Amino acid sequence: AVIERIKAEQGHLDILVNNVWGGYECFNDGTEFWKEKGFWTVPLSRWDAMFQAGVRAHYIASVLASPLMIQQQSGLIVNISYFAAQRDDKGVAYGAAKAADDQIARCMAHDLREHNVAAIALYPRLVRTEGVMAAAQFFDLGNSESPQFIGRAVAALAADPDVMKKSGQVLVAAALALEYGFADIDGK
């Protein structure tokens, strides 16, 4: 419905940011999922939540938004991902889900290239979202980033006339800040 509304009201869609996630509900009981020992001890519901609320939602949103971007022959799809995709110490479900988001961006980039639509996976550090801040006692916020910082990274990518050269890549928000010359809201 939201894509149909955008099409009717705006007639185009320039940017889609896929940034929904599940599986963090475990913080409510004090579980720090990345410290769990042995994937076989982790509830299967954690896998389902990460793939259903995260990976599946990102894929579906992209499937629904892509035709509008293809029609206009421009656009940017950003999957918010994380370094866990390339590490083996953040849990099987979390690492696999983030790796899936990276691979989805790579494969979408391949299919969308001829339509001048870029697809990118973007790695922030820990982002101080409402959910993260509600569980702040479980996190080291010393090297975290604001949601606005990630927004600035996406805006810089969208404004880059050569963004297609980055399509299919995994990019780090802090590296983009150095490249494009923006800072977080605290000046860092």
Side-chain angles (χ1 to χ4, degrees), residues 128-144:
R128 295 182 302 271
T129 63
E130 291 173 1
V132 167
M133 296 312 290
Q137 64 194 23
F138 300 107
F139 296 111
D140 173 7
L141 298 174
N143 197 22
S144 62

Side-chain angles (χ1 to χ4, degrees), residues 31-169:
T31 302
E32 297 177 66
F33 67 85
W34 60 85
K35 293 182 179 177
E36 291 172 328
K37 300 297 180 206
F39 67 90
W40 55 92
T41 67
V42 177
L44 293 176
S45 61
R46 182 103 24 85
W47 175 278
D48 292 341
M50 289 184 179
F51 275 82
Q52 191 74 5
V55 178
R56 184 173 189 271
H58 293 182
Y59 179 75
I60 290 171
S62 298
V63 165
L64 297 173
S66 290
L68 193 52
M69 293 179 171
I70 289 168
Q71 179 183 355
Q72 67 200 30
Q73 290 291 296
S74 67
L76 172 64
I77 299 173
V78 178
N79 284 350
I80 303 298
S81 190
Y82 193 66
F83 298 96
Q86 299 178 26
R87 296 177 56 180
D88 60 4
D89 65 341
K90 295 296 182 187
V92 173
Y94 189 57
K98 291 302 186 179
D101 267 337
D102 294 356
Q103 185 64 16
I104 288 170
R106 276 190 285 275
C107 292
M108 287 190 311
H110 173 79
D111 288 355
L112 293 169
R113 189 168 307 282
E114 68 183 275
H115 304 288
N116 198 41
V117 177
I120 291 163
L122 180 62
Y123 286 10
R125 295 295 305 160
L126 181 64
V127 180
R128 295 182 302 271
T129 63
E130 291 173 1
V132 167
M133 296 312 290
Q137 64 194 23
F138 300 107
F139 296 111
D140 173 7
L141 298 174
N143 197 22
S144 62
E145 299 166 347
S146 72
Q148 293 90 334
F149 184 71
I150 307 312
R152 291 172 182 176
V154 172
L157 286 166
D160 184 345
D162 293 322
V163 71
M164 288 304 296
K165 292 179 181 176
K166 291 178 169 60
S167 190
Q169 297 179 29

